[in-house]
Amino acid sequence: MHGEDKLPPILTSASAGQHCPGRGLMQPYPCLSGFTSTMTQRRINTQIITQTGGQIGTRFELPPLFAAVRQKQRYSIDTLPPEVKAPFPSEPIIPIRTKTVRQFQEDVEKATASGEWKDVREFYLITFDSFLELNAAFKREANSPFNTTEDSGLNSKFISAVYDALLHTPQDIQKSVLKGIINSLLREWKGPRTKDDLRAYFILLQNPQYSSTATYVIYAHLLRQIASLSEADHHFLVHWLKKLSQRRFRQLVERLLQFISTRLFPAVPEDLPPSSKCLWWIPSATKVLGFLNAANSISSPPILSYTDFYNITLDHIDIMGEYRTWQYHGNSSKFSFCQFPFILSAAVKKAIIQKDSEQQMISIARQSLVDKVSRRQRVDMNLLFLNIRVRRTQLLSDSLDELSRKKAELKKKLRVTFVGEAGLDMGGLTKEWFLLLVRQIFQMDYGMFMYLKESNCHWFSSWKCDNLSEFRLVGTLMGLAVYNSIALDIHFPPCCYKKLLTPPIMPCDQNTLVGMATLTLDDLQQVMPDLAHGLQELLSYDGDVEEDFYLAFQVFQEELGVVKSYNLKPGGDKIPVTKVNRREYVQLYVDFLLNKSIYKQFAAFYYGFHSVCASDALLLLRPEEVEVLVCGSLDLDMSALQREVQYEGYCRTDATIRYFWEVVLAFPMELQRKLLHFATGSDRIPVGGMAHLNFKISKIDVSTDWLPISHTCFNQICLPPYKSRKELKNKLTIAISNAEGFGLE
């Protein structure tokens, strides 16, 4: 078989006996199908025997890197345990290669123009021949150690140029690269990996050829070897990954997500080995994706949005089966996607919380039914619902009484009745109850929350602690909104949701502190930006801090017209703020404002939320995802809404409807959000997208002088039959621009 011949297919009986060409003195290895069987044979023994100081040691596969222990990954080499701080093994002598990026690019340009690829072919053949040659080509100084997390020692521009050109080279060159990778992965390794080996893995991971399913067998084995590296090597790899360009980083993430999706639901199953023979593919890929997620998390700002790590394919698997596996086995060797929650979308996590709560409630309800039947008592189907009866005139007090009396029933499906009003709650009354309660609770003169105009959000009043049950009610409302799929028009800053997950599981001991998150000046910036700016100026001031600022470790707050002082530490009023201790002062100030001064209020709020949403599933959530579950998503897509809308009295071809969508789709984003708020009571969409909004446009037979009206309880707009586009645009703009928001000035 010659080097120019076609690579054998992955799974054919004929391919098993074919071999790749030899490379100099190197023993040739089988190609893809033979590669699979060889690697499988070498993996039969799961323990890896390593020679360590004359002793035989056993190295097991490391536990996965997942979100719940993300903070634990932020260590330096100095804090690593002794067993992973062993001296680096000696590096072999790397041959000197002198080709530069420019020379390579000139070779490619000449080959493209002339059709003669000899020099380029030789470069790829030599470079991908071994891990040693990869370092020779791409390491900036061939035999320098570069044993730091901050610098991989690689010429990233050269790597990018070589990979960017690879897919445009003749097929025989691309095949030679894959064959070289096969040889490298099959080679026997004795002792621990060197940092040059790690560099080679880092280079190979960036290969764009893995976007093709034809290369998935090779890609899978590369991922498996990377996933099984030592903890110290993973630490280095994470820091090197965060140095990649956003484009290259995104490609790695998308390639891994595609690999996982294709393995789960292959378009042509025959293109891949049977799932039963490669159960390790998805765990290996997900672990490597975890390293990219860790790199993204320690980057400031993050390289990608956390939503870019979602794999929507997982919306269609047995996610509760994955959740149960995770509950029973934790983060042991039994794989579950729940070990890596960054890959699960907010919609999936919401489904887990709801189903987990439902199953808890069904178990309780079943026991109640059994008890009634055993006592020959009449079974009341109201037993299955959380029935709330309130008077409109006493909305807040009645709601508080009802929820306090029915604490054990909060995970049942909510059903609301307004006293003295006929009608069955089909969802509209429930939403109206939420909207009216939120509107009343967040009124400025009620005093529970203060509205901060500079950040357009609400925050807890530090002096309002005479009736903590009301703060618990707000937390309960938020939990019920998540459980009953109601998006609330609540404007809390992001740090509120960090506090709500501190800790994510409600402690059994009521004396355990809750909501005391580690918050920084960046968090204060999102609540009180002017104050945060002043504190930042204090930190960066070059003059005499003590003389010029004349501050002590003390804060002053006005409460009901009375100014009160609080020490940030014992004797703080007598401790001056200096250039030496100013960072401590700022941190204590932030902690006081966002944690200590509102502790009682927030603790009640925390317990209210967790009384409904108490679930192991909260361990899977990021603070941003809790906000999305409570308030909905900001990702507004009016075209998607147009596809999902329902009509009553109109059809989509009517002139008024055509005018409506022409106007709305042309609106700027600000007016589109106002329209959504006008129709639904919130400018956000529910988790899961527009399909979950149940948006309706109805015809109202009144004069066209009327403005459009809305029924926010039913997500409904009522349109008079306007005769022109101009008239509809004018009336609709007036209506949505003058709709008053709940709780905001």
Side-chain angles (χ1 to χ4, degrees):
M1 177 177 176
H2 300 290
E4 294 78 18
D5 290 343
K6 184 178 179 182
L7 251 179
I10 293 176
L11 287 175
T12 62
S13 57
S15 66
Q18 295 178 343
H19 290 72
C20 297
R23 303 193 193 283
L25 299 175
M26 190 169 56
Q27 181 67 28
Y29 289 100
C31 286
L32 298 174
S33 58
F35 172 62
T36 306
S37 60
T38 304
M39 293 299 286
T40 301
Q41 183 63 35
R42 294 182 181 185
R43 292 287 181 179
I44 289 176
N45 297 323
T46 58
Q47 296 181 349
I48 303 172
I49 306 302
T50 58
Q51 189 74 32
T52 310
Q55 300 295 320
I56 298 297
T58 305
R59 184 173 58 189
F60 295 96
E61 187 171 296
L62 290 161
L65 177 77
F66 65 107
V69 296
R70 188 183 295 114
Q71 295 297 327
K72 295 181 182 178
Q73 308 308 319
R74 300 185 184 181
Y75 46 67
S76 67
I77 193 69
D78 294 327
T79 62
L80 290 172
E83 61 270 21
V84 297
K85 277 176 56 178
F88 297 117
S90 59
E91 310 274 2
I93 301 300
I94 298 174
I96 304 299
R97 305 289 181 220
T98 58
K99 190 177 287 289
T100 64
V101 179
R102 184 61 198 151
Q103 290 170 340
F104 171 78
Q105 290 173 332
E106 288 174 353
D107 288 346
V108 172
E109 289 168 5
K110 290 176 185 176
T112 303
S114 66
E116 176 51 62
W117 291 86
K118 180 181 176 183
D119 290 343
V120 176
R121 180 179 292 107
E122 183 179 0
F123 171 82
Y124 278 108
L125 194 68
I126 293 174
T127 298
F128 288 88
D129 181 67
S130 67
F131 281 12
L132 204 63
E133 289 292 352
L134 283 168
N135 279 274
F138 298 120
K139 202 172 174 184
R140 292 199 305 274
E141 297 175 26
N143 289 293
S144 295
F146 290 111
N147 288 325
T148 74
T149 58
E150 297 307 311
D151 184 6
S152 66
L154 295 171
N155 187 335
S156 58
K157 290 184 178 179
F158 199 179
I159 296 171
S160 293
V162 169
Y163 278 142
D164 288 343
L166 178 58
L167 297 183
H168 303 288
T169 62
Q171 285 297 308
D172 68 296
I173 294 179
Q174 297 185 40
K175 293 169 189 172
S176 70
V177 169
L178 292 174
K179 293 172 184 175
I181 295 172
I182 291 172
N183 280 330
S184 297
L185 295 179
L186 280 173
R187 209 171 267 112
E188 295 286 351
W189 293 98
K190 296 180 179 179
R193 298 283 194 264
T194 68
K195 285 295 168 284
D196 283 335
D197 295 337
L198 185 59
R199 271 181 273 274
Y201 282 125
F202 181 56
I203 295 166
L204 293 180
L205 187 61
Q206 300 175 54
N207 188 338
Q209 292 176 290
Y210 305 134
S211 296
S212 167
T213 55
T215 64
Y216 273 13
V217 171
I218 304 174
Y219 191 31
H221 282 282
L222 171 65
L223 296 174
R224 187 176 198 174
Q225 290 193 16
I226 292 174
S228 62
L229 291 170
S230 72
E231 186 177 355
D233 284 341
H234 288 160
H235 174 65
F236 273 76
L237 192 60
V238 165
H239 282 269
W240 292 352
L241 286 168
K242 80 170 189 173
K243 301 289 186 181
L244 291 175
S245 68
Q246 185 186 56
R247 179 178 74 94
R248 190 68 68 192
F249 192 91
R250 183 181 296 278
Q251 287 173 346
L252 295 185
V253 171
E254 291 177 349
R255 202 172 291 138
L256 283 161
L257 290 174
Q258 179 190 1
F259 176 85
I260 293 167
S261 298
T262 304
R263 179 64 274 183
L264 284 171
F265 302 105
V268 184
E270 294 76 19
D271 286 350
L272 299 177
S275 296
S276 59
K277 293 188 177 179
C278 34
L279 297 175
W280 49 271
W281 279 30
I282 287 175
S284 298
T286 309
K287 287 177 185 178
V288 175
L289 188 62
F291 303 147
L292 284 156
N293 179 65
N296 194 59
S297 298
I298 63 174
S299 299
S300 184
I303 305 166
L304 302 178
S305 166
Y306 69 92
T307 59
D308 289 327
F309 287 84
Y310 287 167
N311 190 330
I312 58 173
T313 304
L314 303 183
D315 293 8
H316 307 288
I317 66 171
D318 176 17
I319 195 62
M320 290 310 292
E322 295 285 326
Y323 179 64
R324 296 303 176 207
T325 297
W326 175 65
Q327 277 192 309
Y328 297 146
H329 298 281
N331 297 309
S332 65
S333 58
K334 183 76 172 177
F335 174 80
S336 165
F337 281 114
C338 291
Q339 293 171 315
F340 306 88
F342 60 82
I343 201 174
L344 302 175
S345 71
V348 167
K349 292 169 185 172
K350 178 182 178 181
I352 292 174
I353 291 173
Q354 288 179 326
K355 290 176 182 176
D356 189 41
S357 295
E358 284 171 5
Q359 288 172 7
Q360 292 177 38
M361 207 62 240
I362 287 170
S363 177
I364 295 171
R366 182 185 293 119
Q367 187 58 50
S368 298
L369 288 171
V370 169
D371 290 344
K372 283 187 175 293
V373 170
S374 64
R375 295 171 187 168
R376 300 179 180 275
Q377 295 176 341
R378 180 172 174 271
V379 176
D380 184 359
M381 294 312 293
N382 283 326
L383 191 69
L384 303 176
F385 294 92
L386 169 59
N387 293 287
I388 301 293
R389 286 176 53 82
V390 293
R391 296 165 292 175
R392 288 185 183 272
T393 56
Q394 302 293 326
L395 183 68
L396 188 58
S397 58
D398 283 1
S399 299
L400 190 58
D401 290 343
E402 285 280 84
L403 293 175
S404 298
R405 286 192 301 106
K406 299 176 179 178
K407 288 180 181 178
E409 302 176 38
L410 294 178
K411 294 186 179 183
K412 294 180 180 179
K413 186 68 177 174
L414 181 60
R415 196 161 66 181
V416 175
T417 303
F418 287 97
V419 175
E421 299 179 21
L424 183 64
D425 185 10
M426 302 300 289
L429 295 179
T430 293
K431 185 172 182 186
E432 183 181 10
W433 178 69
F434 275 110
L435 293 174
L436 292 174
L437 264 180
V438 167
R439 185 174 189 177
Q440 184 170 336
I441 288 169
F442 285 89
Q443 282 179 349
M444 289 291 292
D445 56 3
Y446 197 69
M448 286 180 64
F449 299 94
M450 52 184 178
Y451 173 62
L452 304 171
K453 197 168 186 177
E454 55 184 325
S455 56
N456 189 35
C457 70
H458 285 101
W459 192 242
F460 297 77
S461 293
S462 58
W463 57 269
K464 179 73 173 178
C465 56
D466 54 333
N467 192 353
L468 297 177
S469 59
E470 293 178 350
F471 286 98
R472 186 179 181 106
L473 169 64
V474 179
T476 303
L477 274 179
M478 283 178 52
L480 288 172
V482 171
Y483 188 51
N484 290 274
S485 300
I486 302 289
L488 296 182
D489 187 29
I490 289 178
H491 295 250
F492 283 129
C495 64
C496 175
Y497 301 98
K498 290 184 183 178
K499 289 166 65 64
L500 208 51
L501 292 179
T502 309
I505 300 299
M506 184 168 59
C508 298
D509 183 0
Q510 293 289 312
N511 294 319
T512 302
L513 293 178
V514 297
M516 297 292 286
T518 302
L519 302 175
T520 67
L521 202 53
D522 290 337
D523 296 296
L524 185 64
Q525 173 71 32
Q526 296 171 326
V527 185
M528 305 170 187
D530 291 344
L531 176 58
H533 178 71
L535 291 173
Q536 185 59 57
E537 286 191 334
L538 170 64
L539 291 177
S540 57
Y541 187 67
D542 290 330
D544 189 327
V545 171
E546 184 174 355
E547 288 295 326
D548 296 345
F549 282 86
Y550 200 66
L551 294 170
F553 276 70
Q554 186 179 38
V555 296
F556 298 89
Q557 283 193 328
E558 183 178 340
E559 299 173 4
L560 296 176
V562 179
V563 176
K564 294 186 177 181
S565 64
Y566 298 90
N567 286 346
L568 295 177
K569 58 192 298 187
D573 57 325
K574 296 180 175 61
I575 302 174
V577 176
T578 66
K579 187 173 285 189
V580 174
N581 64 18
R582 59 184 171 179
R583 290 198 175 277
E584 180 191 9
Y585 169 79
V586 169
Q587 185 54 50
L588 289 173
Y589 200 149
V590 171
D591 186 56
F592 175 81
L593 289 176
L594 302 183
N595 284 326
K596 292 180 179 176
S597 67
I598 59 164
Y599 179 77
K600 291 182 180 178
Q601 296 89 323
F602 194 89
F605 173 78
Y606 172 96
Y607 282 112
F609 179 81
H610 286 266
S611 65
V612 183
C613 291
S615 168
D616 290 342
L618 289 177
L619 288 167
L620 308 177
L621 291 172
R622 298 172 57 98
E624 301 93 329
E625 291 170 328
V626 178
E627 181 178 9
V628 168
L629 292 182
V630 172
C631 306
S633 170
L634 285 170
D635 296 332
L636 194 57
D637 183 352
M638 282 298 178
S639 296
L641 183 61
Q642 183 183 15
R643 292 191 296 270
E644 301 293 342
V645 69
Q646 304 167 38
Y647 298 102
E648 188 176 80
Y650 284 118
C651 64
R652 68 178 62 250
T653 57
D654 287 342
T656 302
I657 296 302
R658 285 190 282 108
Y659 298 148
F660 177 84
W661 288 113
E662 288 171 7
V663 168
V664 169
L665 293 176
F667 271 161
M669 181 63 73
E670 180 185 1
L671 283 181
Q672 289 182 346
R673 292 204 178 282
K674 285 185 176 181
L675 170 67
L676 193 63
H677 193 284
F678 173 72
T680 70
S682 171
D683 64 355
R684 301 190 180 201
I685 62 171
V687 173
M690 292 294 189
H692 294 260
L693 198 57
N694 297 320
F695 186 70
K696 182 185 288 186
I697 300 177
S698 300
K699 186 174 184 178
I700 178 172
D701 289 317
V702 296
S703 168
T704 54
D705 292 335
W706 282 44
L707 295 175
I709 60 176
S710 66
H711 299 294
T712 54
C713 303
F714 300 99
N715 299 335
Q716 182 179 25
I717 286 182
C718 298
L719 287 179
Y722 299 117
K723 302 301 182 186
S724 70
R725 182 180 185 277
K726 182 178 180 181
E727 182 182 30
L728 185 146
K729 180 179 180 181
N730 182 47
K731 294 291 199 310
L732 184 61
T733 303
I734 292 172
I736 66 177
S737 298
N738 291 278
E740 183 182 346
F742 292 138
L744 296 181
E745 292 184 338

